[in-house]
Amino acid sequence: MTDIMNSAAVKHVMKQCAAGEDPNTVAANTITAAGEQPVRAAVVRAAQLARDAEAHARERQHGKGKHTARERLDLLLDTGSFEEIGRFRGGDINGGKAGSAVITGFGNVYGRKVAVYAQDFSVRGGTLGRAEGEKICHLMDKALELKVPIIAIVDSGGARIQEGVAALTQYGHIFQKTCQASGFVPQISLILGPCAGGAVYCPALTDLIIMTRENSNMFVTGPDVVKAATGETISMNDLGGGVVHATRSGVAHYLGEDEADAIDYARTVLAYLPSNCDAEPPIYAYAATRAERETARRLSTIVPDNDRQPYDVLDVIRCVVDYGEFVQVHELFAASAVVGFACIEGHPVGVVANQPNVRAGILDVDASEKVARFVRLCDAFNLPVITLVDTPGYKPGADQEHAGIIRRGAKVIYAYANAQVPMVTVVLRKAFGGAYIVMGSKAIGADMNFAWPSSQIAVLGATGAVNIIHRKDLIKAREAGKDVDALRAQLAADYEHTTVNANLSLEMGEIDAMIDPEQTREAIAESLRLLAGKQRVRRTGKHHGNQPL
């Protein structure tokens, strides 16, 4: 790390000063390693301020169970790779002020360049004023110029009240630049302290938000304001803590056990993403083994024949992807759908799947938004989308209709229909109604579609369809004293045999092939090799679509 504190000559001076010697005298008598000139007193003064500032930060942060901003950067970036920009910008060296409440610079994550800023709560509560805003905007401009990811480490009291509208204006500039960067370079926000008021929209505009169980908070209006406005008494954690946003609101994409876990997740996610939208994702070495064949054979035993019996789709995913490694996104939110990153033959992909273990894998308002957002992320950064389908359809009920299932469910359609990355879909068991169409069907734009032999594809499940199609027959049977349940079961069996199976989809070309479960990984890998040269096409001259929001 290029830093004034790392100079051998400065370190020598600081050691002598710590022993009680006069810094100006020591500086004048200390010759640099090159043997050319003494260390200037101003440099020593700056080094002293930097050392004292970090000592002050450790004292304030460690007592709260938190790392300092620089310690967080050490955890995030490859060792020795951080190059700081404007360390003393916004400070007053002669007045004893080391710098502003944010650290900005560039470093490496797994050898690839990233831009990063870390708010320093030990300096004026990490609040954002003009100097801090200008530093962040300057960093973002450089990141866009260099086409590298932007990582924000947030720990701030919000806008600096003393600077009034000047501080708020800086948030406006950051919002604008974050929107400019959206879909161009990956943006990740680590919330490792408070983030309140208008400041919450900085991370809200980024691709991924990572929070921790303790110390991490996000809310537009704090507990005091809530109490004054509504009379409700609520704690910071219950209002906007990491658990709330990871499980209920869906604001947080990952909940870290602590800061180290949260930062490690950020590093892991970056390993799957390219540096920018014009680059391809990184490629990793992969060698097939006998274990892979044994894992493939396990697939035929995971999914039960009974279409009402639940199973964990994660078991399927781990049998399909390289080494069984799958990094979930939004793991604790809308659990009836699963999304995340993995590799197929060393190439990063995005995986979307219904989760039969949770409400039978049904699509509701939250699951729809979860899937849609993730597909858009993959499409923005050139990750193929693998979709594993097993869903009975959209969740019925007045609560869903009133919550906007039409508007929010349409987001899944918009995401898949506009995606231009390679898309491969496998129907594992059942795909009914509108949910079949939106979950990566060929009709909506998927490139390759497969189905397992036992899969069921139809407008409705057999029982539901029979209740509608044969309603009058069932009424007549009841009036005639016949066994209605037996008749319903017989009609359902006939419907399954003639309509619900995947043969009709095969004959129409909506399914490209029927595959045995153990062929799933092979079929996906071959499809991705075939689609490796897929190019984006600009179909119209429009500025952009009007996505349902």
Side-chain angles (χ1 to χ4, degrees), residues 106 112-116 139-152 176-189 205-208 269-270 273-279 373 376-377 379-382:
F106 293 87
R112 292 193 296 148
K113 190 69 67 182
V114 299
V116 60
L139 176 80
M140 297 181 77
D141 283 336
K142 285 297 180 184
L144 293 176
E145 185 180 322
L146 298 172
K147 296 177 150 184
V148 298
I150 301 170
I151 305 169
Q176 185 181 50
K177 293 192 183 298
T178 304
C179 292
Q180 290 172 3
S182 181
F184 183 67
V185 296
Q187 299 182 89
I188 297 177
S189 298
L205 291 167
T206 62
D207 299 305
L208 294 170
V269 166
L270 284 170
L273 296 171
S275 294
N276 57 74
C277 66
D278 295 326
R373 172 74 186 215
R376 294 287 280 177
L377 173 65
D379 186 51
F381 295 112
N382 308 316

Side-chain angles (χ1 to χ4, degrees), residues 42-120:
V43 173
V44 176
R45 176 60 177 156
Q48 282 182 312
L49 282 178
R51 179 196 62 186
D52 294 344
E54 185 61 13
H56 174 68
R58 285 194 296 269
E59 181 182 343
R60 291 200 61 182
Q61 294 289 87
H62 289 184
K64 303 173 185 175
K66 298 162 67 176
H67 289 90
T68 70
R70 295 186 183 277
E71 289 170 341
R72 290 164 175 168
L73 291 174
D74 287 340
L75 289 171
L76 174 67
L77 302 172
D78 297 348
T79 303
S81 68
F82 183 56
E83 296 288 341
E84 187 167 356
I85 296 175
R87 176 160 190 166
F88 295 98
R89 182 174 180 174
D92 180 2
I93 294 175
N94 291 332
K97 181 182 174 185
S100 66
V102 67
I103 300 166
T104 59
F106 293 87
N108 293 342
V109 173
Y110 294 122
R112 292 193 296 148
K113 190 69 67 182
V114 299
V116 60
Y117 69 86
Q119 292 177 313
D120 188 348

Side-chain angles (χ1 to χ4, degrees), residues 128-328:
L128 185 133
R130 182 172 180 176
E132 289 78 10
E134 289 176 348
K135 283 183 71 172
I136 292 172
C137 288
H138 175 69
L139 176 80
M140 297 181 77
D141 283 336
K142 285 297 180 184
L144 293 176
E145 185 180 322
L146 298 172
K147 296 177 150 184
V148 298
I150 301 170
I151 305 169
I153 300 178
V154 180
D155 188 0
S156 169
R160 189 167 297 151
I161 297 173
Q162 297 89 327
E163 295 191 28
V165 72
L168 294 176
T169 298
Q170 293 305 318
Y171 275 120
H173 293 322
I174 296 170
F175 295 163
Q176 185 181 50
K177 293 192 183 298
T178 304
C179 292
Q180 290 172 3
S182 181
F184 183 67
V185 296
Q187 299 182 89
I188 297 177
S189 298
L190 283 152
I191 314 299
L192 303 183
C195 181
V200 298
Y201 294 110
C202 291
L205 291 167
T206 62
D207 299 305
L208 294 170
I209 294 176
I210 302 168
M211 299 181 73
T212 58
R213 287 188 180 276
E214 304 293 336
N215 300 320
S216 183
N217 298 104
M218 291 180 74
F219 38 72
V220 176
T221 55
D224 293 341
V225 177
V226 170
K227 185 173 183 179
T230 69
E232 179 185 5
T233 301
I234 189 169
S235 69
M236 288 178 65
N237 277 336
D238 290 340
L239 178 64
V243 173
V244 168
H245 286 311
T247 60
R248 295 179 62 184
S249 72
V251 168
H253 297 85
Y254 182 76
L255 181 66
E257 290 299 321
D258 52 29
E259 291 189 10
D261 181 34
I263 291 170
D264 183 65
Y265 182 81
R267 285 177 57 88
T268 301
V269 166
L270 284 170
Y272 290 92
L273 296 171
S275 294
N276 57 74
C277 66
D278 295 326
E280 292 299 318
I283 300 174
Y284 300 100
Y286 179 78
T289 64
R290 182 164 50 181
E292 181 183 300
R293 292 191 293 273
E294 294 172 354
T295 300
R297 283 194 289 270
R298 279 192 57 229
L299 280 172
S300 60
T301 66
I302 293 173
V303 179
D305 292 331
N306 183 350
D307 65 1
R308 291 181 177 274
Q309 186 174 340
Y311 64 93
D312 192 347
V313 79
L314 291 174
D315 292 335
V316 175
I317 294 171
R318 293 184 182 119
C319 287
V320 171
V321 302
D322 291 358
Y323 308 117
E325 295 177 356
F326 180 56
V327 179
Q328 282 200 66

Side-chain angles (χ1 to χ4, degrees), residues 272-274 281 341 348-350 374 377-385 421-422:
Y272 290 92
L273 296 171
F341 302 105
V349 298
F374 184 74
L377 173 65
C378 292
D379 186 51
F381 295 112
N382 308 316
L383 265 66
V385 177
V421 292

